[in-house]
Amino acid sequence: MVLIDEQRETQTGETRDVVLSVRDVTVGFGDTVVLDGLSLDVYRGEILGFVGASGSGKSVLLRTILGLIRKRSGMIRLLGQDLDKANDEQRLKVDMRQGVLFQHGALFSALTVLENIQVPMREYLDLPRALMDELAYLKLELVGLPRTAAPKFPSELSGGMIKRAALARALALDPDIVFLDEPTSGLDPIGAAEFDELVGKLRDTMGLTVYMVTHDLDSLLTACDRIAVLGGKRVLVDGTVDDMLACDDPWVKAYFRGKRARQIDRSARG
Ligand SMILES: Nc1ncnc2c1ncn2[C@@H]1O[C@H](COP(=O)(O)OP(=O)(O)OP(=O)(O)O)[C@@H](O)[C@H]1O
């Protein structure tokens, strides 16, 4: 496990390890500024739900953190490493300690489930085939897929199985943090709840840190330890469900105090 030298006092006064620190980040395309001075911390072992209106920049931030989009200014420290200052070796170390589940799973259609899970192993490690098979079967089990799913191609899987297979691939190298981009979209409510439960179990058993972009109110209210809301090109508010309910921003109010939210919140709190 990577040592993290960064600790921060949270809003509740606890001192926690910071796994991801985004500071004053600005990102734009041409004349359009999408993120303007955005700051956010993600703590070790938490599930952070990241929400915001469509087009507010959630994917842009995720892609910037992953190094797929260049920021104009600001700093991003992931797993204790300032990504702008990382040399190739340091970048590789960080890459190996993070997993990503892209929207819709993004599995390679020409590879079986087992081969998909082995992609990061092939990319970063030099392991004998038998060991890679064994490790991939362990990941299958971890995400609740049967061994019979291993030789199947993505086109032969249900939506829920695709998400689980993609999660198994994201977990292939036992990362410290996983980034999940709308992991429950397209799943029925039962499948979505089971997926959330699985993510919670991974947090509890592996100490996994989860950064989850989601529109799923159920996930935000029941699975996430903390919520951050993107609006006005930065993080408008972050905190617990109660912090969201106390927030007076019109979008946050409409989202968390709307009719659907009240129903879910009532059933989640019993
Ligand atoms: N490569 C790009 N070039 C130009 N503009 C872009 C690019 N990528 C994203 N944008 C713009 O950035 C803004 C934010 O997009 P983004 O996809 O991050 O929104 P989002 O919050 O993830 O939305 P959704 O919830 O609908 O997925 C949009 O206006 C989008 O058009």
Side-chain angles (χ1 to χ4, degrees):
M1 187 175 280
V2 171
L3 289 175
I4 296 166
D5 53 4
E6 213 170 342
Q7 292 193 317
R8 198 153 291 136
E9 195 167 317
T10 66
Q11 286 162 346
T12 55
E14 296 167 86
T15 303
R16 297 189 65 178
D17 289 341
V18 178
V19 174
L20 169 66
S21 174
V22 178
R23 280 289 163 279
D24 293 324
V25 161
T26 296
V27 182
F29 304 97
D31 293 339
T32 312
V33 175
V34 177
L35 305 174
D36 190 6
L38 182 145
S39 295
L40 174 72
D41 285 328
V42 181
Y43 305 115
R44 182 192 286 285
E46 74 171 351
I47 301 176
L48 177 91
F50 198 65
V51 67
S54 212
S56 57
K58 301 178 298 294
S59 298
V60 166
L61 178 61
L62 179 59
R63 292 167 65 80
T64 306
I65 293 168
L66 296 174
L68 302 172
I69 294 177
R70 190 183 283 272
K71 58 185 163 48
R72 287 188 179 162
S73 60
M75 188 198 67
I76 299 175
R77 280 174 73 87
L78 181 55
L79 296 158
Q81 177 68 57
D82 180 339
L83 297 181
D84 287 333
K85 295 188 180 146
N87 59 31
D88 289 350
E89 193 188 335
Q90 288 165 326
R91 181 78 227 194
L92 187 76
K93 269 190 189 158
V94 171
D95 286 346
M96 287 178 70
R97 306 307 304 170
Q98 68 180 34
V100 187
L101 190 163
F102 286 106
Q103 225 175 332
H104 313 302
L107 293 174
F108 294 107
S109 58
L111 301 183
T112 66
V113 168
L114 207 72
E115 288 164 347
N116 262 288
I117 298 172
Q118 290 171 342
V119 167
M121 299 179 196
R122 287 184 203 280
E123 193 175 344
Y124 293 107
L125 307 172
D126 185 18
L127 298 176
R129 172 82 194 267
L131 181 56
M132 278 205 301
D133 284 351
E134 204 177 309
L135 288 173
Y137 276 115
L138 282 175
K139 300 300 169 198
L140 265 188
E141 197 183 326
L142 191 64
V143 299
L145 282 175
R147 284 177 82 88
T148 49
K152 291 199 158 71
F153 288 94
S155 59
E156 301 174 283
L157 303 179
S158 70
M161 288 171 89
I162 287 178
K163 301 280 184 177
R164 281 173 193 257
L167 183 61
R169 187 176 63 184
L171 296 171
L173 303 179
D174 293 325
D176 289 288
I177 181 167
V178 287
F179 296 92
L180 311 180
D181 194 0
E182 301 204 24
T184 57
S185 73
L187 299 186
D188 65 45
I190 296 172
E194 285 172 353
F195 190 91
D196 284 342
E197 210 173 296
L198 169 63
V199 173
K201 202 173 87 186
L202 295 171
R203 171 204 53 200
D204 295 341
T205 55
M206 299 170 56
L208 191 66
T209 305
V210 181
Y211 177 109
M212 186 195 293
V213 175
T214 185
H215 282 295
D216 187 332
L217 258 171
D218 248 326
S219 301
L220 287 166
L221 297 176
T222 62
C224 294
D225 299 306
R226 205 158 59 88
I227 299 167
V229 180
L230 179 57
K233 305 179 185 184
R234 56 183 68 189
V235 173
L236 267 177
V237 57
D238 72 283
T240 61
V241 172
D242 287 333
D243 294 324
M244 300 303 123
L245 294 174
C247 179
D248 272 334
D249 175 82
W251 189 88
V252 178
K253 248 164 102 172
Y255 195 85
F256 287 96
R257 291 196 238 162
K259 196 171 161 204
R260 270 195 67 216
R262 285 198 302 274
Q263 282 167 350
I264 294 171
D265 192 36
R266 259 201 305 275
S267 57
R269 288 168 189 237

